[in-house]
Amino acid sequence: MAPSDPKPARGRRKAVLELRVPFFRPMWRRVATVIVIALWTGVEIAMGNPYWALLAGGIGVYSAYVFFFAFDLPEPAGTSEVPEAPAAKDPEAGP
C-alpha cells in the first residue's frame, strides 16, 4: 500500500462468510446454493475425505440456517416505502 493510499476504516472489514448480500435475495438462489453444498458434501464422503466432508457439511448447515431462518436483508437505500395511514372516517358521515 502506497503512503498516499487511504487506510480502510476500522470495523468495516467484510466477514469471510457473509451470506446476507443482495445476490441471495431470490429464494431460488438460496435453495440452489444449499443443494450444491449438500451435493459437494456427498462427493467428499464418497471419495473418502471425511475432513473435507465435515468442512463442507458445516458450511452447508450454516448456510441453511442463515438462508432459511436468519435471512434479514435490509431494503436498498431509497426504496423503502412508508405505508400511507388510512383516512380517518367521519363519524357523522354514516356508513
mmCIF file of all heavy atoms in Angstrom, residues 24 26 28-30 40 45 64 69 76-79 83:
data_model
loop_
_atom_site.group_PDB
_atom_site.id
_atom_site.type_symbol
_atom_site.label_atom_id
_atom_site.label_comp_id
_atom_site.label_asym_id
_atom_site.label_seq_id
_atom_site.Cartn_x
_atom_site.Cartn_y
_atom_site.Cartn_z
ATOM 1 N N PHE A 24 -28.289 -12.953 -2.886
ATOM 2 C CA PHE A 24 -29.098 -14.063 -2.393
ATOM 3 C C PHE A 24 -30.528 -13.661 -2.054
ATOM 4 O O PHE A 24 -31.239 -14.410 -1.393
ATOM 5 C CB PHE A 24 -28.432 -14.696 -1.162
ATOM 6 C CG PHE A 24 -27.188 -15.458 -1.482
ATOM 7 C CD1 PHE A 24 -25.972 -15.073 -0.962
ATOM 8 C CD2 PHE A 24 -27.223 -16.559 -2.307
ATOM 9 C CE1 PHE A 24 -24.820 -15.767 -1.251
ATOM 10 C CE2 PHE A 24 -26.089 -17.273 -2.608
ATOM 11 C CZ PHE A 24 -24.878 -16.878 -2.081
ATOM 12 N N PRO A 26 -33.231 -13.533 -4.094
ATOM 13 C CA PRO A 26 -34.200 -14.509 -4.630
ATOM 14 C C PRO A 26 -34.069 -15.862 -3.918
ATOM 15 O O PRO A 26 -32.956 -16.361 -3.707
ATOM 16 C CB PRO A 26 -33.819 -14.647 -6.103
ATOM 17 C CG PRO A 26 -32.981 -13.465 -6.412
ATOM 18 C CD PRO A 26 -32.304 -13.083 -5.136
ATOM 19 N N TRP A 28 -34.711 -18.863 -4.909
ATOM 20 C CA TRP A 28 -34.168 -19.972 -5.681
ATOM 21 C C TRP A 28 -32.643 -20.016 -5.603
ATOM 22 O O TRP A 28 -32.058 -21.108 -5.642
ATOM 23 C CB TRP A 28 -34.644 -19.923 -7.141
ATOM 24 C CG TRP A 28 -34.041 -18.833 -7.969
ATOM 25 C CD1 TRP A 28 -34.544 -17.587 -8.163
ATOM 26 C CD2 TRP A 28 -32.818 -18.893 -8.713
ATOM 27 N NE1 TRP A 28 -33.716 -16.855 -8.984
ATOM 28 C CE2 TRP A 28 -32.646 -17.638 -9.337
ATOM 29 C CE3 TRP A 28 -31.852 -19.865 -8.915
ATOM 30 C CZ2 TRP A 28 -31.545 -17.363 -10.141
ATOM 31 C CZ3 TRP A 28 -30.764 -19.581 -9.722
ATOM 32 C CH2 TRP A 28 -30.619 -18.340 -10.325
ATOM 33 N N ARG A 29 -31.995 -18.882 -5.469
ATOM 34 C CA ARG A 29 -30.533 -18.875 -5.349
ATOM 35 C C ARG A 29 -30.098 -19.448 -4.008
ATOM 36 O O ARG A 29 -29.088 -20.147 -3.917
ATOM 37 C CB ARG A 29 -29.989 -17.462 -5.511
ATOM 38 C CG ARG A 29 -30.089 -16.958 -6.920
ATOM 39 C CD ARG A 29 -29.488 -15.588 -7.045
ATOM 40 N NE ARG A 29 -29.645 -15.088 -8.401
ATOM 41 C CZ ARG A 29 -29.429 -13.849 -8.761
ATOM 42 N NH1 ARG A 29 -29.031 -12.957 -7.871
ATOM 43 N NH2 ARG A 29 -29.601 -13.468 -10.007
ATOM 44 N N ARG A 30 -30.854 -19.157 -2.971
ATOM 45 C CA ARG A 30 -30.511 -19.702 -1.652
ATOM 46 C C ARG A 30 -30.710 -21.212 -1.620
ATOM 47 O O ARG A 30 -29.867 -21.944 -1.106
ATOM 48 C CB ARG A 30 -31.365 -19.017 -0.578
ATOM 49 C CG ARG A 30 -30.973 -17.557 -0.405
ATOM 50 C CD ARG A 30 -31.795 -16.900 0.676
ATOM 51 N NE ARG A 30 -32.938 -16.248 0.044
ATOM 52 C CZ ARG A 30 -34.005 -15.837 0.668
ATOM 53 N NH1 ARG A 30 -34.130 -16.020 1.965
ATOM 54 N NH2 ARG A 30 -34.971 -15.237 0.023
ATOM 55 N N TRP A 40 -21.952 -31.466 -2.740
ATOM 56 C CA TRP A 40 -20.488 -31.489 -2.617
ATOM 57 C C TRP A 40 -20.064 -32.252 -1.361
ATOM 58 O O TRP A 40 -19.061 -32.963 -1.372
ATOM 59 C CB TRP A 40 -19.914 -30.077 -2.604
ATOM 60 C CG TRP A 40 -18.435 -30.130 -2.737
ATOM 61 C CD1 TRP A 40 -17.511 -29.935 -1.761
ATOM 62 C CD2 TRP A 40 -17.705 -30.467 -3.914
ATOM 63 N NE1 TRP A 40 -16.243 -30.108 -2.261
ATOM 64 C CE2 TRP A 40 -16.338 -30.442 -3.588
ATOM 65 C CE3 TRP A 40 -18.074 -30.787 -5.219
ATOM 66 C CZ2 TRP A 40 -15.350 -30.724 -4.513
ATOM 67 C CZ3 TRP A 40 -17.080 -31.061 -6.142
ATOM 68 C CH2 TRP A 40 -15.742 -31.027 -5.780
ATOM 69 N N ILE A 45 -17.728 -37.301 0.919
ATOM 70 C CA ILE A 45 -17.913 -38.549 1.666
ATOM 71 C C ILE A 45 -17.650 -39.743 0.760
ATOM 72 O O ILE A 45 -16.964 -40.700 1.145
ATOM 73 C CB ILE A 45 -19.331 -38.613 2.266
ATOM 74 C CG1 ILE A 45 -19.470 -37.579 3.385
ATOM 75 C CG2 ILE A 45 -19.651 -40.011 2.780
ATOM 76 C CD1 ILE A 45 -20.885 -37.406 3.896
ATOM 77 N N ALA A 64 -27.678 -23.016 5.423
ATOM 78 C CA ALA A 64 -29.107 -23.298 5.550
ATOM 79 C C ALA A 64 -29.718 -22.478 6.687
ATOM 80 O O ALA A 64 -30.816 -21.929 6.548
ATOM 81 C CB ALA A 64 -29.331 -24.788 5.786
ATOM 82 N N PHE A 69 -33.554 -19.248 8.146
ATOM 83 C CA PHE A 69 -34.032 -18.879 9.473
ATOM 84 C C PHE A 69 -33.616 -17.473 9.889
ATOM 85 O O PHE A 69 -34.304 -16.845 10.681
ATOM 86 C CB PHE A 69 -33.537 -19.883 10.525
ATOM 87 C CG PHE A 69 -34.050 -21.267 10.290
ATOM 88 C CD1 PHE A 69 -33.224 -22.248 9.784
ATOM 89 C CD2 PHE A 69 -35.369 -21.587 10.555
ATOM 90 C CE1 PHE A 69 -33.695 -23.528 9.556
ATOM 91 C CE2 PHE A 69 -35.854 -22.860 10.332
ATOM 92 C CZ PHE A 69 -35.008 -23.837 9.830
ATOM 93 N N PRO A 76 -32.724 -1.812 -0.040
ATOM 94 C CA PRO A 76 -31.749 -0.862 -0.588
ATOM 95 C C PRO A 76 -32.150 0.573 -0.244
ATOM 96 O O PRO A 76 -33.337 0.883 -0.129
ATOM 97 C CB PRO A 76 -31.805 -1.097 -2.096
ATOM 98 C CG PRO A 76 -32.451 -2.422 -2.271
ATOM 99 C CD PRO A 76 -33.311 -2.660 -1.060
ATOM 100 N N ALA A 77 -31.171 1.424 -0.100
ATOM 101 C CA ALA A 77 -31.429 2.818 0.269
ATOM 102 C C ALA A 77 -32.297 3.493 -0.784
ATOM 103 O O ALA A 77 -32.089 3.330 -1.986
ATOM 104 C CB ALA A 77 -30.123 3.576 0.423
ATOM 105 N N GLY A 78 -33.281 4.247 -0.343
ATOM 106 C CA GLY A 78 -34.130 4.993 -1.252
ATOM 107 C C GLY A 78 -35.319 4.226 -1.776
ATOM 108 O O GLY A 78 -36.142 4.773 -2.485
ATOM 109 N N THR A 79 -35.445 2.930 -1.456
ATOM 110 C CA THR A 79 -36.573 2.167 -1.970
ATOM 111 C C THR A 79 -37.581 1.831 -0.891
ATOM 112 O O THR A 79 -38.590 1.237 -1.181
ATOM 113 C CB THR A 79 -36.107 0.850 -2.620
ATOM 114 O OG1 THR A 79 -35.447 0.068 -1.623
ATOM 115 C CG2 THR A 79 -35.209 1.105 -3.794
ATOM 116 N N PRO A 83 -45.801 3.226 4.409
ATOM 117 C CA PRO A 83 -47.215 2.979 4.101
ATOM 118 C C PRO A 83 -48.066 4.169 4.514
ATOM 119 O O PRO A 83 -47.820 4.808 5.526
ATOM 120 C CB PRO A 83 -47.548 1.737 4.928
ATOM 121 C CG PRO A 83 -46.509 1.674 5.981
ATOM 122 C CD PRO A 83 -45.295 2.362 5.430
#
